[in-house]
Amino acid sequence: MTLPRLDNRRARALFLDRHALAEAPAGPGRGEDLARLIERLGFVQIDSVNTLARAHDMILFARRPAYRPKHLTRLYADGGLFEHWTHDAAVIPMRFHPHWQLRFARDAAHLPARWRNWHKHDFEAELESVLSHIRENGACGSGDLGGDGPKNSGGWWNWHPSKTALEFLWRSGALTVTGREGFQKRYDLTERVIGADLLEKPPEAAHSIDWFCNGALDRLGFATSGEIAAFWATVTPDEAKAWVARETEAGRIVPAVVDCADGSDRKVILRPEVLEEEPPEPTRRLRVLSPFDPALRDRARAQRLFGFHYRIEIFVPAEKRTYGYYVFPLLEGDRLVGRVDMKADREADMLRVTALWPERGVGWGKGRHARFEAELERVTRFAGVSTITFEDGWLREPK
């Protein structure tokens, strides 16, 4: 049987549309508009690196240039979001909370043995005392629990027992993050933070598995079972395969083939109506993306679909880096046209552009440079600095 096919151009347009990157970036970027955007994406990953702005803020800014970090803080404070884990820490629409009961139960079952081996201490002996402290004193951070404050915590790789207990109680659902001071989480009892209507009748596991799989496919447009499992990182690969088999038998999804950027084929599944969909032509607006943007999070998929090879080099010694410490991809239309090494130097009140590498086959003429400079002006305002400086030799040869 000949499978239906999505050519590479159409697949990229569909994928970008699903990730809110096809339309011109516009909108208030706060309140209901921001809540709808996060629900459309499913979640937004949180990351602490602040070379230009934090990853979650960059993700939202790329789609809503009017967005500012205070708008996310307000949405959080108003109860529109909660923070938990997908493939990493993320902010998630509050109405999704009931389905995280499945994640809480799985983390409660799987984390103790892993963390005992990792941290080499008995954090479980601290669980009740940490809960009692919060019950009696209200929301707290790790710095409120004796000697386990930020100065003594040793970083994420060396948590002390009460810090580990806090994280476990959060991951297993007994505690909820109420916000952050700096980048330090504050935790309170879940029943004091999450509405009773979201806690009283958790869905059956099978219902949540269906919800996770459907939600992943809807946000990806087309996928393999492995990509469906990886989207929320809660459903197992075997559960995703079983879901695909059931939905295929019911006719709600069908197999198809996507043309990859290198000319190879990739077998995927999608909803039949996607084959009739005409995705919008992606905007020609050039924009800076976070390395953690949801469209780029799966590096292998980004390379297959866009021909864009990207790796974070934060932990690579400087002399061994191919590009730089924290390099931002550049999206224009349906192409990733380059990457830029830049940093907001707030002490000097300027954006420092160290280097830009166009992708192979991408010219850097006056028109593209004008679009790049227009985006830098927007990024400069967002980062809270006033001027832009280009280092000597900033425009590099493609690698």
Side-chain angles (χ1 to χ4, degrees):
M1 180 181 71
T2 302
L3 296 178
R5 180 177 292 270
L6 291 177
D7 66 51
N8 185 251
R9 190 74 181 265
R10 188 159 174 240
R12 280 182 281 153
L14 177 64
F15 186 79
L16 290 172
D17 181 51
R18 291 295 195 272
H19 286 80
L21 287 171
E23 67 262 30
R30 60 181 180 271
E32 284 300 314
D33 176 64
L34 184 60
R36 286 192 298 270
L37 174 61
I38 296 173
E39 183 160 335
R40 179 176 174 183
L41 297 174
F43 60 89
V44 174
Q45 181 179 343
I46 298 171
D47 190 77
S48 62
V49 177
N50 196 12
T51 303
L52 182 64
R54 299 198 192 277
H56 44 286
D57 294 321
M58 288 293 297
I59 290 166
L60 297 169
F61 170 76
R63 294 155 174 83
R64 297 290 188 274
Y67 165 81
R68 293 296 181 267
K70 65 183 179 181
H71 301 150
L72 186 66
T73 301
R74 171 52 58 193
L75 190 60
Y76 206 143
D78 289 346
L81 303 169
F82 72 101
E83 183 177 332
H84 207 259
W85 212 257
T86 55
H87 67 289
D88 210 318
V91 288
I92 305 158
M94 184 62 79
R95 76 181 193 90
F96 296 177
H97 191 277
H99 293 292
W100 255 256
Q101 297 293 336
L102 178 65
R103 182 62 184 251
F104 300 153
R106 291 182 171 184
D107 281 357
H110 298 145
L111 290 181
R114 187 187 313 166
W115 284 9
R116 280 194 299 270
N117 182 60
W118 178 19
H119 296 294
K120 308 298 183 186
H121 57 58
D122 184 14
F123 73 90
E124 291 160 290
E126 301 292 325
L127 296 176
E128 190 49 51
S129 64
V130 168
L131 280 172
S132 295
H133 177 89
I134 295 174
R135 195 175 292 118
E136 295 168 11
N137 298 285
C140 79
S142 61
D144 301 315
L145 297 174
D148 292 337
K151 291 182 180 179
N152 300 312
S153 67
W156 59 265
W157 61 89
N158 188 24
W159 292 340
H160 284 260
S162 59
K163 165 64 175 174
T164 311
L166 269 175
E167 287 288 309
F168 177 77
L169 289 165
W170 169 54
R171 292 284 295 270
S172 57
L175 299 180
T176 294
V177 172
T178 60
R180 290 175 180 254
E181 293 181 358
F183 208 68
Q184 298 294 318
K185 294 191 287 288
R186 294 193 64 77
Y187 312 77
D188 203 350
L189 300 177
T190 292
E191 61 266 29
R192 294 204 292 229
V193 180
I194 306 299
D197 58 319
L198 297 174
L199 296 175
E200 58 190 12
K201 292 182 69 177
E204 295 290 331
H207 177 57
S208 287
I209 290 168
D210 280 347
W211 182 90
F212 281 118
C213 291
N214 276 302
L217 183 58
D218 287 341
R219 288 171 176 83
L220 292 170
F222 52 87
T224 64
S225 64
E227 289 166 344
I228 288 170
F231 185 86
W232 309 97
T234 297
V235 171
T236 70
D238 285 345
E239 288 167 342
K241 285 180 183 177
W243 179 83
V244 167
R246 290 194 302 273
E247 295 296 294
T248 301
E249 185 177 0
R252 289 187 285 269
I253 61 176
V254 296
V257 173
V258 168
D259 292 337
C260 298
D262 64 1
S264 63
D265 294 345
R266 183 158 177 89
K267 189 175 177 181
V268 298
I269 55 97
L270 44 70
R271 301 196 188 282
E273 55 268 27
V274 168
L275 296 169
E276 307 303 320
E277 186 177 330
E278 287 299 332
E281 183 73 19
T283 176
R284 296 292 297 166
R285 171 90 159 254
L286 188 148
R287 57 185 129 187
V288 172
L289 298 184
S290 163
F292 297 104
D293 194 280
L296 300 174
R297 175 173 66 85
D298 185 332
R299 309 294 189 207
R301 181 173 57 213
Q303 188 163 358
R304 285 192 302 270
L305 195 56
F306 297 97
F308 186 76
H309 180 273
Y310 185 89
R311 297 292 182 271
I312 287 279
E313 297 186 285
I314 289 174
F315 301 112
V316 176
E319 66 277 7
K320 294 184 178 180
R321 290 175 187 147
T322 302
Y323 294 102
Y325 175 79
Y326 197 79
V327 175
F328 298 90
L330 299 175
L331 176 69
E332 183 185 49
D334 66 353
R335 301 173 69 193
L336 288 153
V337 297
R339 61 198 86 200
V340 58
D341 185 2
M342 61 183 176
K343 180 179 181 179
D345 183 343
R346 293 181 174 85
E347 187 173 328
D349 192 29
M350 65 174 57
L351 181 72
R352 296 186 182 275
V353 180
T354 302
L356 182 145
W357 297 267
E359 287 295 281
R360 289 190 179 278
V362 173
W364 205 264
K366 290 182 179 179
R368 181 163 283 127
H369 185 69
R371 291 191 290 275
F372 176 57
E373 285 195 323
E375 176 69 349
L376 289 185
E377 291 288 349
R378 291 184 285 268
V379 166
T380 297
R381 292 192 294 273
F382 180 65
V385 294
S386 299
T387 60
I388 304 167
T389 182
F390 292 85
E391 293 191 5
D392 289 343
W394 65 273
L395 184 57
R396 308 290 178 85
E397 291 295 320
K399 294 191 178 185

